[in-house]
Amino acid sequence: MTIQITQYKWAGKLGHFKIKTNCEDCDLTTTTLKSMMQKEFKDKNITFEVKPWLNHLFYCIFRLAWHAPIIMIDGKKFWQFSHKNHIFNKEKLTKIVLKKVK
């Protein structure tokens, strides 16, 4: 069984709206997740993809996630940015994902 980690970052378009700014928190999250794919999840049946948040706004909202960056594991919200919780817990993510792999 393949585990899918998806990050929704501050980007995309919806109708006439288009995000034209960059998000440093999204970039940091992407870099961290790519590093985890090369280290913690190397040779595991785990895939990682980055999607534009605005293109998938309603998908995220229906999963109670509205503030990019957002991380989902197999379509379930793991983490979303907040000013109180601006960095996701790598150890917790690793534990959840590796438990699913077994």
Side-chain angles (χ1 to χ4, degrees), residues 30-47:
T30 302
T31 301
T32 303
L33 288 168
K34 284 181 178 180
S35 174
M36 291 177 75
M37 290 301 295
Q38 294 172 351
K39 296 175 185 170
E40 287 89 346
F41 303 143
K42 185 179 180 180
D43 300 326
K44 304 280 191 239
N45 201 9
I46 301 167
T47 59

Side-chain angles (χ1 to χ4, degrees), residues 27-87:
D27 294 340
L28 176 62
T29 301
T30 302
T31 301
T32 303
L33 288 168
K34 284 181 178 180
S35 174
M36 291 177 75
M37 290 301 295
Q38 294 172 351
K39 296 175 185 170
E40 287 89 346
F41 303 143
K42 185 179 180 180
D43 300 326
K44 304 280 191 239
N45 201 9
I46 301 167
T47 59
F48 169 62
E49 111 183 277
V50 179
K51 293 184 178 183
W53 170 78
L54 194 53
N55 294 43
H56 300 90
L57 175 66
F58 296 110
Y59 178 87
C60 292
I61 287 175
F62 289 136
R63 283 154 183 80
L64 304 177
W66 49 85
H67 195 298
I70 299 164
I71 299 173
M72 295 205 190
I73 303 170
D74 289 337
K76 294 181 182 173
K77 179 178 82 172
F78 166 74
W79 173 82
Q80 74 175 344
F81 177 88
S82 71
H83 291 286
K84 275 185 154 180
N85 187 17
H86 60 277
I87 299 174

Side-chain angles (χ1 to χ4, degrees), residues 32 36 40-41 78 87-98:
T32 303
M36 291 177 75
E40 287 89 346
F41 303 143
F78 166 74
I87 299 174
F88 71 95
N89 186 327
K90 283 177 55 175
E91 290 78 24
K92 185 176 179 182
L93 177 69
T94 302
K95 184 177 177 181
I96 289 170
V97 171
L98 293 179

